[in-house]
Amino acid sequence: MNQELVSVIMPTFNAGRYLSASIESILGQTYQNLELLISDDGSTDDRTLQILREYADKDPRVKVDYLEGNCGPGVARNNSIKRAQGRYIAFCDSDDRWFQEKLEKQIALMEAKDCALTCTSYITCDADDEETGIVVAPERITFKMMKHDNKVGCLTAVYDTKRLGQKYLMPEIRKRQDWALFLSIIKKSGPAYALTEPLAFYRQRANSISSKKISLIKYNIKVYETILGYPKWKASLYFLFIFIPTYYLKVLKRNIDSWNYLRKKGRIKE
């Protein structure tokens, strides 16, 4: 298979504890034609800055840019997307990790399905790398499904600039930019496809942005306004009567899938 360049987008901010493992999981891919574009979002942690310098010095695929101040992960990701030279754009945060064959399997899926966006299932873990569950992605993700709520794990997403005809940036909202981005791509290109095999580890941390669900409400509504063009009243109703029920059904399914996964791993005794 002819390996076209993949640009991996990684924002960093004081991520020293996990950063090396995350970078190694990308550089160790069986799909080797990649560049890792890191935008540091104003880190003040010496360990983070040292790791970034070390990897940039020893591997030419690692390209680091340092932002002034702390602008948020959306701005940091867009900075890297603008610098990207690859046909494919992939995402991995600085505390997450990929399985070694992730890119190889995903690019093969994109060629087989002739699609512009793919994702995979992923395993969740805690701050100490203990597995806590699994998120199983739907095999086919339509625009209607994405309107109900986000079905694409950002750390597993890969999109194809050639099929789309351009790079897509994160919309300029403070949070939920990933959902807004993938919603825009599917609206333009048609369904996304997923590998139900887990190919990444997502780290759950108590103080993470995504863990603050209540504060995300206004940003969920903002996605409907920004991407779908809904007036605020319609966006609010859609959030209450479509998003919320879908979200809780998703959480229920995730809990069942995680229980079954952990039981098979011997983590739960019947």
Side-chain angles (χ1 to χ4, degrees):
M1 179 175 66
N2 179 31
Q3 291 194 345
E4 297 204 49
L5 183 65
V6 176
S7 297
V8 183
I9 308 303
M10 177 182 287
T12 59
F13 177 70
N14 293 346
R17 179 178 175 184
Y18 308 109
L19 183 55
S20 291
S22 182
I23 292 175
E24 288 290 345
S25 78
I26 293 166
L27 300 182
Q29 290 291 297
T30 55
Y31 190 107
Q32 284 285 290
N33 191 21
L34 60 85
E35 60 177 1
L36 174 55
L37 300 166
I38 301 175
S39 290
D40 183 75
D41 196 21
S43 288
T44 56
D45 169 32
D46 289 339
R47 184 178 179 187
T48 297
L49 297 173
Q50 180 182 352
I51 290 169
L52 292 177
R53 287 192 294 267
E54 288 176 353
Y55 276 99
D57 287 343
K58 73 180 182 180
D59 194 318
R61 294 176 296 170
V62 179
K63 303 168 185 177
V64 184
D65 194 28
Y66 299 90
L67 305 183
E68 292 186 10
N70 181 250
C71 305
V75 172
R77 290 187 185 110
N78 280 346
N79 181 68
S80 289
I81 293 171
K82 290 173 184 177
R83 296 187 288 131
Q85 299 297 310
R87 170 177 173 175
Y88 299 102
I89 306 293
F91 299 89
C92 185
D93 281 355
S94 56
D95 56 354
D96 299 328
R97 290 170 290 140
W98 287 354
F99 285 32
Q100 193 174 26
E101 66 276 16
K102 177 186 179 293
L103 281 182
E104 183 178 355
K105 290 184 175 182
Q106 262 186 279
I107 301 302
L109 176 67
M110 297 183 87
E111 293 184 353
K113 295 292 187 181
D114 191 25
C115 64
L117 175 65
T118 62
C119 61
T120 78
S121 300
Y122 57 91
I123 296 167
T124 59
C125 66
D126 63 18
D128 299 314
D129 291 329
E130 288 291 326
E131 294 183 12
T132 57
I134 190 170
V135 177
V136 180
E139 290 188 32
R140 185 172 183 268
I141 303 170
T142 65
F143 181 60
K144 182 179 180 180
M145 292 167 66
M146 282 292 287
K147 284 200 300 181
H148 289 181
D149 84 333
N150 190 15
K151 302 292 191 294
V152 178
C154 188
L155 77 158
T156 74
V158 179
Y159 77 79
D160 183 349
T161 63
K162 184 175 180 179
R163 286 186 173 92
L164 289 169
Q166 65 180 84
K167 294 180 189 176
Y168 272 61
L169 300 177
M170 294 273 176
E172 293 183 1
I173 53 179
R174 179 70 180 179
K175 302 175 185 176
R176 303 298 277 164
Q177 312 98 333
D178 55 341
W179 178 30
L181 171 65
F182 305 137
L183 188 59
S184 298
I185 289 174
I186 291 175
K187 183 180 180 181
K188 163 79 181 293
S189 68
Y193 290 87
L195 294 164
T196 56
E197 174 187 5
L199 290 173
F201 288 98
Y202 172 76
R203 192 177 307 280
Q204 295 174 311
R205 291 190 285 163
N207 62 345
S208 67
I209 290 175
S210 61
S211 72
K212 301 171 184 175
K213 302 300 182 185
I214 298 299
S215 69
L216 289 176
I217 289 175
K218 66 179 180 180
Y219 296 102
N220 288 324
I221 294 172
K222 193 70 176 177
V223 169
Y224 291 123
E225 295 180 86
T226 303
I227 305 303
L228 302 182
Y230 290 173
K232 185 174 288 291
W233 67 266
K234 183 176 180 180
S236 299
L237 288 175
Y238 207 93
F239 173 77
L240 287 172
F241 295 107
I242 302 295
F243 180 95
I244 290 293
T246 303
Y247 173 78
Y248 280 106
L249 286 173
K250 181 173 76 171
V251 170
L252 177 61
K253 181 181 182 301
R254 181 180 301 174
N255 289 340
I256 293 170
D257 290 339
S258 294
W259 188 89
N260 288 327
Y261 173 78
L262 294 173
R263 180 177 57 83
K264 290 178 181 177
K265 296 278 288 186
R267 296 282 304 280
I268 295 177
K269 295 182 179 179
E270 297 184 68

